[in-house]
Amino acid sequence: AGAGAPTPLQSMSVEQEFKNLLKAENEEDFTAKLKNLKTVVRVDGALTNLGLRLPNRNKEGKTNLRGHLWKLMLGVVYEEKGAGTALEKYKEQLKKGENKVQGKDIRNDVFRTFPKLEIFDLESQKRKMTRILHAVSHKSNFKYTQGQNILLAPFLLCMNEVDAFHSYHRLSVEMVPTYWMEQSSKNPEKSKSYLGVNAACRIADKILRVVDPNLHKALMANYKEKINPISPTERWFHTQFTFRHMQTLSLCTKPLEQVVLLLDVVFAMGIQYHVLIYVAQLMSLREKLMQKGTNLNDFLRQDNFPDVNARYVSSQVSYLIEKLEDQPKLLDEVLAQQKEHTP
């Protein structure tokens, strides 16, 4: 092939990749084909670039091609037939009804899930979210925390209810088992402290400090001058601005269609890399955040956070990985902490 010509892997459609995975001859072949697919998604930026359409509203409640690919990348595997089917396992949790301890928090969060989006204004969709969140809390004694509804929402755009339950459980419980685990402390300031979330905040700070020290310095100086002059700057900056992003694996942004594209890349790269999405978004606002007199609340508060461009952020994440690879000790350090919570 001539210079710039696509390799056979790059030119292959998503549908072809999916069919190849289903035809894998053995576990080794399957693993190799899945690795190829993840590489293409990671390098190209998102499945949309590979011919997979942006998510629709999925009013029919079916699992589309993206949903099937997400399941594969997450490692969601279950028997399709027999007594232990995915449906039966889900029904088993539904029989337990509402989680009495966490019911109020779940109802409140489901009610305010993307209120301006038609798909999440449907009562049927709210009922699905409620059932799944209660079922997951029963299945693993998983304590619901604010923001879990944000993580679940994209799955319901791409999957039926049963697949969404198993995929969400796989992500939130099996892949990040201690991420939202509460950190016991007598200090009231840490009453809502979560092990993995706070580790992610520290990692975000270290990464930004290395890849863009001038932006990091400007953010900390601005925060201390205009918002809280008596605070330990880094800790309180991340408490006010970064924590919410880390709490939702950097997905508490908009529009939801772009969040779905970011998930394509996160699932292909590995969950622990979600921190880079937040850092990339800060860097995309660099010009505005560096301006003298900027009020950080105007840009970094959740309600004011600008719309995300998944393709741009994905390319920035690749750039950040390259920057960190130049400093292998730092890359090992920042990812080692996170991997404690995302095995």
Side-chain angles (χ1 to χ4, degrees), residues 274-335:
H274 79 85
V275 178
L276 299 181
I277 289 177
Y278 173 68
V279 175
Q281 287 178 283
L282 288 180
M283 293 175 68
S284 73
L285 297 169
R286 190 179 196 280
E287 184 177 345
K288 295 176 180 177
L289 295 176
M290 293 282 286
Q291 288 178 357
K292 188 175 181 179
T294 293
N295 186 334
L296 298 182
N297 286 316
D298 291 342
F299 298 99
L300 300 185
R301 283 181 62 87
Q302 186 181 347
D303 293 343
N304 298 333
F305 209 72
D307 288 2
V308 65
N309 181 314
R311 289 189 180 183
Y312 172 79
V313 170
S314 298
S315 66
Q316 283 293 99
V317 167
S318 297
Y319 164 76
L320 290 173
I321 291 174
E322 290 180 8
K323 289 274 287 186
L324 292 174
E325 284 176 346
D326 292 336
Q327 303 187 48
K329 289 184 179 180
L330 173 61
L331 183 61
D332 289 344
E333 178 189 352
V334 296
L335 293 182

Side-chain angles (χ1 to χ4, degrees), residues 199-208 210 272-273 275-276 320 324-325 327-342:
C201 288
R202 293 191 294 272
I203 289 170
D205 183 80
K206 289 183 179 182
I207 293 174
L208 183 62
V210 168
Q272 66 269 20
Y273 286 95
V275 178
L276 299 181
L320 290 173
L324 292 174
E325 284 176 346
Q327 303 187 48
K329 289 184 179 180
L330 173 61
L331 183 61
D332 289 344
E333 178 189 352
V334 296
L335 293 182
Q337 288 189 67
Q338 190 72 354
K339 284 182 177 179
E340 291 180 11
H341 312 286
T342 57

Side-chain angles (χ1 to χ4, degrees), residues 59-289:
K59 291 183 179 180
E60 301 81 9
K62 297 179 179 180
T63 299
N64 58 28
L65 181 57
R66 173 177 268 109
H68 286 299
L69 290 168
W70 279 8
K71 285 168 57 183
L72 288 169
M73 289 193 285
L74 287 170
V76 177
V77 180
Y78 44 69
E79 295 293 330
E80 296 293 343
K81 297 180 181 179
T85 63
L87 177 58
E88 291 303 317
K89 289 179 180 178
Y90 182 42
K91 284 183 176 180
E92 184 180 332
Q93 303 307 319
L94 291 180
K95 289 176 182 177
K96 299 175 184 178
E98 181 179 295
N99 185 314
K100 303 300 182 183
V101 176
Q102 302 175 59
K104 182 178 179 181
D105 290 338
I106 290 174
R107 284 194 301 274
N108 288 342
D109 268 8
V110 168
F111 176 77
R112 54 179 173 241
T113 302
F114 299 108
K116 296 181 181 180
L117 291 184
E118 180 183 348
I119 182 60
F120 289 106
D121 192 40
L122 299 173
E123 283 302 317
S124 60
Q125 201 76 328
K126 290 180 179 179
R127 287 194 293 270
K128 288 180 185 178
M129 293 193 77
T130 302
R131 286 194 293 265
I132 291 173
L133 292 171
H134 280 294
V136 169
S137 71
H138 285 307
K139 188 173 189 295
S140 306
N141 292 320
F142 179 69
K143 184 174 181 180
Y144 179 85
T145 60
Q146 188 177 23
Q148 295 292 309
N149 56 315
I150 301 297
L151 294 177
L152 174 57
F155 290 107
L156 287 170
L157 280 182
C158 306
M159 299 180 183
N160 63 44
E161 186 174 345
V162 175
D163 281 346
F165 163 73
H166 286 283
S167 299
Y168 171 72
H169 180 271
R170 169 68 178 157
L171 172 64
S172 62
V173 178
E174 296 178 10
M175 297 183 75
V176 287
T178 63
Y179 193 77
W180 293 279
M181 185 178 290
E182 291 190 0
Q183 178 176 305
S184 59
S185 173
K186 295 180 181 179
N187 186 344
E189 293 179 358
K190 297 183 179 180
S191 59
K192 292 187 178 180
S193 181
Y194 302 102
L195 289 173
V197 177
N198 280 285
C201 288
R202 293 191 294 272
I203 289 170
D205 183 80
K206 289 183 179 182
I207 293 174
L208 183 62
R209 190 192 298 265
V210 168
V211 299
D212 197 336
N214 290 334
L215 176 58
H216 181 275
K217 183 178 179 180
L219 287 174
M220 299 307 134
N222 185 307
Y223 182 84
K224 200 168 185 69
E225 177 186 352
K226 296 184 176 298
I227 298 179
N228 195 337
I230 62 172
S231 72
T233 310
E234 286 86 354
R235 190 183 80 189
W236 282 99
F237 174 87
H238 295 302
T239 297
Q240 184 156 350
F241 296 120
T242 307
F243 185 89
R244 177 63 171 166
H245 290 268
M246 299 302 99
Q247 189 182 23
T248 59
L249 300 180
S250 302
L251 300 177
C252 64
T253 187
K254 58 186 189 301
L256 182 57
E257 291 84 354
Q258 294 295 310
V259 173
V260 169
L261 300 187
L262 287 179
L263 275 175
D264 293 341
V265 180
V266 170
F267 292 160
M269 292 174 58
I271 303 300
Q272 66 269 20
Y273 286 95
H274 79 85
V275 178
L276 299 181
I277 289 177
Y278 173 68
V279 175
Q281 287 178 283
L282 288 180
M283 293 175 68
S284 73
L285 297 169
R286 190 179 196 280
E287 184 177 345
K288 295 176 180 177
L289 295 176

